[in-house]
Amino acid sequence: MRSTQLAGIVAALALGGMEAEAAAWDTCNGLPVKWYAGPAVYRNRCSIPDSGNVNTAYWNGLRQWDDLSRIVSAFNVNPVTDCSLDHSDGQNEIGLCDRAAIDGNNGVTYSTVGLCFIGSNGIDEADVCIASDLDFTPRTGNAFGTSGRSTFVHEAGHFFGFKHEGGHSILRTSPPHLVTGGYESSTLWPTNAQGMNTLYGYAQSKPNLLPSSMGVVGDVAQTLDPAGTRAVCRGSAQSVKFYVGNMGNAAVSSYTLRVRLSPTAPPTGYYESSTTVATYNHSLGAFAEGTYSLGFTVPAGLPFNTYYIYLDMDPEGAVDELRENDNSTVSAMLLRVGC
């Protein structure tokens, strides 16, 4: 959730919404309302301790965005005895709040901007409150719903000046938030990253491949294959649906997509080289995305068992990416091989 506080009266026609692709932000006289000087961030140490799941969720929320453009000027920590999270005090503070204090929301970002008069107008201060009763443990690649980790990433997007958007986005107006694969599945999506590139520029030019077993049909987020177990026989033709995207600002002319079966659950199964049942060659432009139905044949000699279906992007590690730990995901559908 995003709440903007204005330091003065805003001219009626000067402040409006703007979209670049799907990423959206406010404008002042046609220029984006954003950070024009690198903000210093203050962690509320009373509610976000120095270690543990809440701490790593905090860092992931900020770094998913800031690692792309490197605009945060400092990461500071308030005293552990300071348990209040104040607005309009000159500090950009991030902490946990009682849900009742933020009107029952999962999170709220309070942004303060100046008077839009002549020229551009930037963000003066932004404070983030995350509901303290959320679950902050990492999710696997087909965990459906929202979490404290995805809420941190969502609210960090508002911190950097972005508004709600639809489709494949961490800034969806309401949960559920889609997740990708790998140990840290709460991440940005290509449209979010493209907005970051447009407003602030990337610190380096590289691609970043990421898959998901989730997608958006219409405006409904869902697992692309229904959760559950499908009974199949050896030698039978099957298919599985996956989303793939590139949140980097550089295209990939050729990379490998690999579908494999494993009896090992995630996250351990992400890092295996188990039974490969299909391999595809693919390409993705900068900030491109798509959903694909990938066919394969259940191997004739596969032992009877229940199998997770994994998708690996660039399993050989041939593509130099912004991040290397988000290239695998797992379908919500399992296969039970029993004949």
Side-chain angles (χ1 to χ4, degrees):
M1 181 178 177
R2 181 172 180 265
S3 176
T4 301
Q5 300 173 347
L6 303 179
I9 299 175
V10 180
L13 298 179
L15 186 66
M18 177 181 179
E19 285 195 15
E21 301 297 329
W25 52 84
D26 287 325
T27 63
C28 172
N29 297 315
L31 298 171
V33 176
K34 64 174 187 174
W35 295 103
Y36 283 95
V41 176
Y42 290 79
R43 171 167 58 91
N44 182 276
R45 196 177 189 183
C46 177
S47 59
I48 304 177
D50 295 338
S51 62
N53 283 332
V54 178
N55 181 278
T56 58
Y58 160 83
W59 283 111
N60 179 65
L62 280 174
R63 284 174 169 161
Q64 285 287 340
W65 299 87
D66 190 61
D67 279 358
L68 301 177
S69 304
R70 303 289 172 86
I71 67 167
V72 173
S73 61
F75 295 95
N76 302 318
V77 182
N78 281 338
V80 71
T81 55
D82 180 5
C83 293
S84 62
L85 203 157
D86 301 315
H87 311 310
S88 301
D89 63 350
Q91 285 191 352
N92 304 303
E93 193 170 5
I94 299 177
L96 304 189
C97 302
D98 187 280
R99 183 178 291 274
I102 52 176
D103 297 327
N105 292 295
N106 289 323
V108 174
T109 299
Y110 301 95
S111 298
T112 301
V113 300
L115 178 66
C116 182
F117 181 56
I118 298 175
S120 63
N121 185 32
I123 302 171
D124 295 328
E125 181 183 336
D127 302 289
V128 177
C129 293
I130 306 292
S132 59
D133 60 355
L134 288 169
D135 175 20
F136 295 94
T137 57
R139 301 290 184 93
T140 60
N142 58 28
F144 199 66
T146 195
S147 72
R149 301 184 87 84
S150 62
T151 301
F152 262 112
V153 182
H154 177 100
E155 295 302 330
H158 292 323
F159 177 89
F160 287 107
F162 295 101
K163 300 166 67 174
H164 286 133
E165 60 181 80
H168 293 87
S169 170
I170 193 63
L171 286 170
R172 289 177 56 80
T173 304
S174 61
H177 294 141
L178 305 173
V179 298
T180 57
Y183 182 78
E184 184 51 79
S185 59
S186 297
T187 184
L188 269 65
W189 296 73
T191 58
N192 310 138
Q194 187 170 29
M196 199 70 177
N197 185 58
T198 300
L199 285 197
Y200 299 106
Y202 268 31
Q204 55 184 330
S205 183
K206 286 185 178 182
N208 196 82
L209 303 172
L210 73 165
S212 180
S213 62
M214 299 181 183
V216 176
V217 179
D219 195 38
V220 178
Q222 60 188 43
T223 56
L224 293 171
D225 283 313
T229 302
R230 179 192 296 177
V232 300
C233 291
R234 295 165 171 170
S236 63
Q238 304 294 328
S239 65
V240 62
K241 293 179 183 177
F242 285 107
Y243 163 100
V244 298
N246 176 11
M247 57 174 275
N249 61 347
V252 182
S253 60
S254 178
Y255 73 94
T256 301
L257 277 170
R258 178 178 72 182
V259 180
R260 57 185 172 85
L261 305 181
S262 171
T264 307
T268 304
Y270 291 143
Y271 309 107
E272 294 183 337
S273 297
S274 44
T275 304
T276 298
V277 293
T279 302
Y280 297 87
N281 186 265
H282 195 238
S283 63
L284 274 173
F287 308 113
E289 60 182 10
T291 300
Y292 301 91
S293 180
L294 305 176
F296 62 92
T297 299
V298 179
L302 193 67
F304 292 163
N305 207 339
T306 299
Y307 291 89
Y308 295 88
I309 310 172
Y310 288 94
L311 179 73
D312 305 315
M313 300 179 74
D314 186 37
E316 307 92 345
V319 180
D320 184 20
E321 301 183 54
L322 293 169
R323 299 171 186 147
E324 298 288 353
N325 62 351
D326 56 0
N327 284 23
S328 296
T329 195
V330 62
S331 175
M333 177 178 64
L334 285 80
L335 297 184
R336 175 63 185 173
V337 180
C339 57

